[in-house]
Amino acid sequence: MKALIGLSACLLVGASAFAQVPSIDDKHLKIAAELRDEALKSSIGYEVVESLTTEVGPRMAGTPGDAAAVKWGVAKLEELGFDKVWTEPVTFPTWKRGTEKAEVIAPYPQPLVITALGFSVGTPEGGLTAEIVEFDTLEDLVNAPEGAAEGKIVFIKNRMKRARDGSGYGPAVSARGQGAVEAARKGAVAIMIRSIGTDSHRMAHTGMMRYEEGVKRIPAVALSAPDADLLENMVRRGKPITVKLDVDAEDGPDYTSHNVIGEIRGSEKPDEYVILAAHLDSWDLGTGALDDGAGIGITVAAAELIARLPERPKRSIRVIMFANEEQGLVGGKFYAEAHKDELNRIITAAESDFGAGKIWRLDSRVKQEAIPVVEKMAKVMEPLGISYGNNRAGGGPDLIPLRGYGISVFSLRQDGTDYFDYHHTPDDTFDKVDKEALDQNTAAYVVFAYIVAQMEGDFGFGLE
Ligand SMILES: [Zn+2]
């Protein structure tokens, strides 16, 4: 019933409001600045991450940790005084990690540190022993002749480059996603990649991989960076290197988790809303403090600060803790599908999913006439060390399905120089979260959310 009333209200608003040139008055800009300063003094975001990592910990999609996280999310949003808290179902296939071991058998016997990639099959009972064949990159593997890896274990040694904006990730990660399929096409029995990361610690980075219909499913693992170095050194000596892999992993039944949603209800246009997004699931190896506990803390804290004001802003602020981002943006896809008839009520959205480093740039994706409001927003963020970048924001992984429908998005770009030292490893733990940097993030998000909730007009819909 509520939904029906909401929908008709939206249609009326949709016709008028969505043609307006947006504006924001000085009074609200001043409140935004006060909220910013308050955020720098608040420790709510930090406490939220501490709570999630301590009371739930690892929460890989479909595990008991996932269920515990959903329960935790609902309780936390209720405890912090959100006006409305609810969940929406998200269903997906599951995967389970078992034991995982690797060792060089000959000519230089020693153990290797590995971890299975998400959705990898296991090795046959008792393990698998084969010679390795080294490739510099995934591309080299693709371009190799037919049968180039026949009966062998493919080893891809490409290194991810460190960069503030994380731009080294994209080019490197294709080896993880696509490597097993390409290796199997060349006759390989398994694949080992150098971890997609920038650290030099002896732990491997997990993450999602894919199989393809009609291509043999071979085990896929990541080596820690020093173990990849070790293999390179062995290969350089020119003798055949034999490796034994013993990996236990299996697919499980479908599982239904939930997106957890909390709303601060708007006072004048409650059915128009700004989305603050993060994902609630993590990989299983660490406690998911940076990925994406930090995003949960930042977005929850920003909304909570606005809820402390004597009056609710005009529009609603919707915090979405997305389910199962890691294994295919599943929560984001389900949200877009479940809300597809009312996506024009989303004024804009931003996701925090890049750790806890400070924000240094604000990017938007708005209609051209809205840029002056974005520049005013950036001005309020300026004391935080943030400047306006461009109008080509991506918005974050869980927002990709929504962006496909043309919603406006923002990217509050964080310093990710160290992010890939910890990403998807056992070392993604609470001690890596810097409180001051986290508070700076909350300060930027609260400025963003408040201005969008209070401004006149909109950012456009049906954007490219
Ligand atoms: Zn993430």
Side-chain angles (χ1 to χ4, degrees):
M1 190 60 196
K2 224 168 185 177
L4 279 175
I5 294 166
L7 187 63
S8 58
C10 160
L11 290 175
L12 291 173
V13 172
S16 57
F18 278 82
Q20 271 187 45
V21 174
S23 63
I24 179 86
D25 59 35
D26 290 345
K27 180 185 133 197
H28 291 116
L29 288 172
K30 188 166 165 278
I31 297 173
E34 286 164 7
L35 285 165
R36 174 198 67 204
D37 296 343
E38 191 56 33
L40 295 176
K41 287 185 259 162
S42 146
S43 56
I44 291 280
Y46 193 69
E47 284 164 16
V48 167
V49 189
E50 192 270 347
S51 167
L52 176 59
T53 52
T54 306
E55 295 158 30
V56 179
R59 44 197 183 278
M60 184 167 76
T63 63
D66 180 341
V70 169
K71 249 179 139 171
W72 173 91
V74 170
K76 186 59 69 183
L77 293 171
E78 283 174 349
E79 174 196 323
L80 291 174
F82 279 68
D83 298 323
K84 215 179 134 193
V85 178
W86 73 100
T87 63
E88 297 182 1
V90 178
T91 303
F92 44 82
T94 56
W95 175 79
K96 216 171 104 193
R97 182 190 308 282
T99 54
E100 38 196 27
K101 277 197 323 225
E103 58 185 316
V104 176
I105 299 292
Y108 315 111
Q110 49 178 307
L112 297 169
V113 173
I114 59 152
T115 195
L117 298 176
F119 279 83
S120 170
V121 295
T123 52
E125 194 73 45
L128 167 166
T129 303
E131 205 181 294
I132 64 165
V133 52
E134 182 188 85
F135 293 92
D136 286 349
T137 61
L138 175 70
E139 209 186 355
D140 285 358
L141 171 64
V142 171
N143 294 332
E146 195 93 341
E150 198 59 49
K152 294 185 175 161
I153 299 172
V154 161
F155 164 46
I156 300 183
K157 68 174 189 184
N158 73 314
R159 288 160 194 258
M160 181 186 158
K161 287 197 181 69
R162 186 183 293 279
R164 179 166 71 163
D165 63 359
S167 55
Y169 188 61
V173 79
S174 52
R176 190 184 79 204
Q178 205 45 38
V181 167
E182 298 303 339
R185 282 196 174 122
K186 306 291 180 188
V189 291
I191 179 168
M192 302 195 296
I193 61 163
R194 183 187 177 100
S195 280
I196 309 305
T198 48
D199 62 300
S200 57
H201 288 273
R202 204 164 189 189
M203 55 188 188
H205 298 235
T206 191
M208 205 46 187
M209 55 81 59
R210 288 182 300 277
Y211 290 119
E212 227 175 82
E213 202 64 44
V215 181
K216 193 177 165 217
R217 293 151 66 98
I218 60 171
V221 304
L223 286 153
S224 84
D227 288 277
D229 292 346
L230 189 61
L231 270 192
E232 275 192 53
N233 291 341
M234 288 184 184
V235 169
R236 202 175 302 130
R237 281 163 168 74
K239 295 180 187 161
I241 312 292
T242 309
V243 166
K244 182 179 177 190
L245 268 183
D246 195 352
V247 175
D248 200 14
E250 56 181 17
D251 291 355
D254 279 8
Y255 177 85
T256 297
S257 182
H258 294 85
N259 288 333
V260 178
I261 305 171
E263 197 168 83
I264 305 297
R265 287 294 276 173
S267 54
E268 284 177 31
K269 298 171 176 175
D271 293 323
E272 292 183 17
Y273 60 97
V274 46
I275 293 177
L276 305 185
H279 65 85
L280 190 53
D281 68 310
S282 73
W283 278 103
D284 51 340
L285 303 176
T287 61
L290 296 173
D291 188 12
D292 185 21
I296 296 285
I298 290 159
T299 52
V300 167
E304 194 272 341
L305 280 164
I306 293 172
R308 287 188 205 171
L309 293 171
E311 284 166 30
R312 290 286 184 258
K314 292 189 186 109
R315 295 187 173 106
S316 296
I317 294 159
R318 193 173 281 190
V319 171
I320 309 181
M321 301 179 178
F322 282 105
N324 197 358
E325 182 271 346
E326 294 292 0
Q327 298 174 357
L329 319 179
V330 192
K333 289 172 185 164
F334 269 73
Y335 187 88
E337 179 60 28
H339 296 265
K340 69 171 186 285
D341 297 332
E342 40 157 82
L343 295 180
N344 63 340
R345 293 190 208 163
I346 301 171
I347 300 303
T348 191
E351 176 164 30
S352 173
D353 183 21
F354 199 51
K358 281 190 179 171
I359 295 167
W360 56 283
R361 202 172 84 190
L362 175 72
D363 289 349
S364 59
R365 184 177 289 262
V366 299
K367 62 186 181 186
Q368 207 55 38
E369 317 87 275
I371 301 279
V373 167
V374 179
E375 284 170 345
K376 283 185 180 171
M377 186 190 284
K379 196 90 195 145
V380 182
M381 293 183 190
E382 206 174 65
L384 301 170
I386 300 168
S387 55
Y388 182 54
N390 60 52
N391 200 31
R392 299 186 299 276
D398 290 296
L399 303 178
I400 292 171
L402 287 169
R403 225 181 67 200
Y405 290 95
I407 70 158
S408 159
V409 294
F410 278 69
S411 293
L412 285 75
R413 297 173 69 96
Q414 291 168 281
D415 186 329
T417 308
D418 300 333
Y419 182 57
F420 291 100
D421 290 350
Y422 310 113
H423 186 247
H424 299 180
T425 73
D427 224 6
D428 179 359
T429 47
F430 183 60
D431 55 299
K432 311 305 182 305
V433 178
D434 178 284
K435 183 180 174 302
E436 194 198 318
L438 195 83
D439 291 344
Q440 187 259 14
N441 275 265
T442 303
Y445 270 85
V446 77
V447 168
F448 163 73
Y450 184 75
I451 289 177
V452 176
Q454 289 291 21
M455 72 179 190
E456 299 296 331
D458 63 87
F459 284 144
F461 185 68
L463 300 168
E464 291 278 295

